[in-house]
Amino acid sequence: QVTLRESGPALVKPTQTLTLTCTFSGFSLSTSGMCVSWIRQPPGKALEWLALIDWDDDKYYSTSLKTRLTISKDTSKNQVVLTMTNMDPVDTATYYCARKETYYDAFDIWGQGTMVTVSS
Amino acid sequence: SYELTQPPSVSVSPGQTARITCSGDALPKQYAYWYQQKPGQAPVLVIYKDSERPSGIPERFSGSSSGTTVTLTISGVQAEDEADYYCQSADSSGIVVFGGGTKLTVL
């Protein structure tokens, strides 16, 4: 059974750096074609893709946010970490991690999401 | 930057057919994917590669593509289908994009 679970602070202050961890099971990020992505959703708004890392350690970032984002993986721990610098109240959102693999070529399994509020 | 455009809302009566469109310049060359999201829940993949249905998704969900527009069709809509629906694709460099979402209301 494939599962993903997001973890991180529920509250961060403006200008701080957010660090989120996606811990997964049921697959390996060293398997060819496997990817993990981060996607966020502000309250009442649409999904917004943030970043993706693949089995070969290639990384892709949202054009509008790439200067603030870093994605990395620890294959031995089955974890993917996202850092976002210079947090602002507009970054308040539920942050999801999701798996993408070659069969569906889509985000077929999602975590339950973690809500992050940016406020002083 | 690449964008996908969806109607904000679609309304249908139970048993009718709902069609949700998604438009984007790269759609003739890139696959589209559809996700269903119910309140308080994570999205669920309902269509992949334009028209394929994952296992466990009811047959009333189907997808099609024509030019720069892809369409999610729900035949015989049920009350449980009321949700937000998002299309997703990518540009040629691998940058992922989601549409703005469509709220499906079952009257």
Side-chain angles (χ1 to χ4, degrees), chain A residues 37 39 41 45-49 52 60-63 96 100 102-108 110-113, chain B residues 1 31 33 35 37 41-45 48-49 53-55 86 88 93-101:
Chain A
S37 196
I39 298 136
Q41 186 173 36
K45 296 189 176 181
L47 299 171
E48 179 183 19
W49 177 75
L52 180 146
Y60 303 83
Y61 295 101
S62 161
T63 303
Y96 295 98
K100 178 175 175 288
T102 53
Y103 183 83
Y104 292 128
D105 196 32
F107 301 117
D108 65 328
W110 295 61
Q112 84 278 11
Chain B
S1 60
Y31 283 125
Y33 308 86
Y35 302 87
Q37 186 181 35
Q41 298 182 18
V44 173
L45 178 69
Y48 67 100
K49 294 182 181 179
R53 193 174 53 251
S55 60
Y86 294 91
Q88 175 252 307
S93 61
I95 302 301
V96 174
V97 62
F98 285 94

Side-chain angles (χ1 to χ4, degrees), chain A:
Chain A
Q1 182 188 7
V2 174
T3 63
L4 301 97
R5 176 173 48 87
E6 306 87 351
S7 59
L11 179 66
V12 297
K13 297 184 188 307
T15 75
Q16 286 187 336
T17 294
L18 172 68
T19 299
L20 295 173
T21 300
C22 176
T23 303
F24 56 87
S25 63
F27 69 96
S28 172
L29 199 41
S30 60
T31 299
S32 179
M34 208 65 73
C35 310
V36 170
S37 196
W38 285 95
I39 298 136
R40 71 179 180 180
Q41 186 173 36
K45 296 189 176 181
L47 299 171
E48 179 183 19
W49 177 75
L50 300 176
L52 180 146
I53 190 165
D54 71 14
W55 79 101
D56 206 24
D57 210 35
D58 290 324
K59 300 162 188 176
Y60 303 83
Y61 295 101
S62 161
T63 303
S64 60
L65 293 168
K66 61 182 178 182
T67 60
R68 299 173 53 205
L69 297 173
T70 302
I71 192 170
S72 62
K73 64 182 173 74
D74 186 330
T75 305
S76 65
K77 292 184 178 179
N78 281 351
Q79 291 181 334
V80 170
V81 174
L82 180 77
T83 62
M84 180 180 291
T85 61
N86 195 25
M87 293 292 285
D88 183 271
V90 300
D91 297 313
T92 294
T94 296
Y95 287 75
Y96 295 98
C97 62
R99 183 186 81 160
K100 178 175 175 288
E101 45 71 75
T102 53
Y103 183 83
Y104 292 128
D105 196 32
F107 301 117
D108 65 328
I109 306 293
W110 295 61
Q112 84 278 11
T114 186
M115 178 67 192
V116 178
T117 300
V118 184
S119 175
S120 55

